[in-house]
Amino acid sequence: MDVPTDTPKPLRADAARNSEKIVRAARQVYAERGPDAQLDEIARRAGVGIATLFRRFPDKGVLLRAVLDQRFAEEVIPAVDRAQQDTDPLRGLAVVMEAALSSAAGDYNVLAAARNAGVLMGEVGDRFFEALAPLVERGQRAGVIRGDLVPEDMRRIMGMLVSVLWTMDPGESGWRRYVTLMLDGLSPAAASPLAHPAPALRRPEH
């Protein structure tokens, strides 16, 4: 008799459900407890044992990346889809930038915990900028985004905008002021020439 080598489907389904419950619980607990929320409390909130949590997420960094990934899929990817359909490329870019900052502000404590754990700019960030690049290029072809903008500029611009969140109450929406200022700077109208080419982007060492 052949011995099945794959994990039975019910077990895979249970694992997926547990992962989903843990990620949802993590968002809730971080929102309530702050960036130092404990994993055992997240496990209790999810209704699973701590051993189950560690099977799904071997360390806090893996869990934080999963939470950020979920938020990205739910809030930023739909904004990218809307932006691609917008006839105004600059307005479409604004939609995506605002969605990203709104998402970051909504999960402020998760973002702070990810920054503390050194996992803030990982695969989620890479996917975001991969989605952003075609929108910028479309705006440049249309003449509504300055032509000397390069991908490294957008990474730094978004980094500056995210850093604004650390300077205000998480419940405020004052970050929108700075998105508007940045968008004005991306317009070619009355733009000053950039003094230097963008230096190579250095990733933080872990």
Side-chain angles (χ1 to χ4, degrees):
M1 184 176 73
D2 293 336
V3 178
T5 57
D6 293 335
T7 304
K9 290 183 179 179
L11 292 181
R12 287 201 297 267
D14 286 345
R17 281 195 294 271
N18 282 338
S19 295
E20 173 73 13
K21 287 193 297 184
I22 292 166
V23 170
R24 297 283 179 192
R27 286 175 65 176
Q28 295 171 359
V29 173
Y30 275 110
E32 295 169 8
R33 302 297 186 190
D36 295 323
Q38 300 299 305
L39 295 180
D40 56 352
E41 184 173 358
I42 293 171
R44 285 196 300 271
R45 183 72 61 91
V48 302
I50 191 67
T52 297
L53 185 149
F54 278 114
R55 278 198 298 273
R56 304 270 67 81
F57 305 99
D59 58 55
K60 182 177 284 190
V62 175
L63 177 57
L64 289 166
R65 282 192 292 268
V67 175
L68 293 172
D69 189 58
Q70 184 186 78
R71 189 84 172 195
F72 181 81
E74 291 179 351
E75 299 190 5
V76 180
I77 288 297
V80 172
D81 293 339
R82 292 195 302 274
Q84 290 171 340
Q85 303 302 317
D86 199 313
T87 56
D88 183 336
L90 186 58
R91 184 172 59 204
L93 181 63
V95 165
V96 176
M97 291 172 66
E98 289 176 356
L101 266 293
S102 177
S103 175
D107 271 337
Y108 179 89
N109 288 331
V110 173
L111 206 67
R115 184 178 68 162
N116 294 342
V119 297
L120 185 55
M121 293 305 294
E123 294 179 2
V124 176
D126 289 339
R127 289 201 301 277
F128 173 72
F129 290 109
E130 287 170 6
L132 205 63
L135 300 175
V136 173
E137 292 168 3
R138 186 165 70 105
Q140 289 174 317
R141 290 194 299 270
V144 296
I145 294 177
R146 55 188 305 158
D148 53 0
L149 196 73
V150 297
E152 288 80 4
D153 292 327
M154 286 307 303
R155 284 181 175 269
R156 290 188 171 100
I157 286 169
M158 291 306 301
M160 286 188 287
L161 288 171
V162 168
S163 71
V164 167
L165 298 176
W166 314 129
T167 70
M168 62 181 62
D169 186 286
E172 295 179 356
S173 60
W175 54 266
R176 295 183 184 277
R177 173 185 180 90
Y178 301 98
V179 172
T180 299
L181 286 169
M182 287 295 185
L183 286 167
D184 284 349
L186 298 182
S187 171
S192 300
L194 296 178
H196 303 287
L201 192 71
R202 288 177 52 189
R203 291 186 178 276
E205 297 180 3
H206 300 317

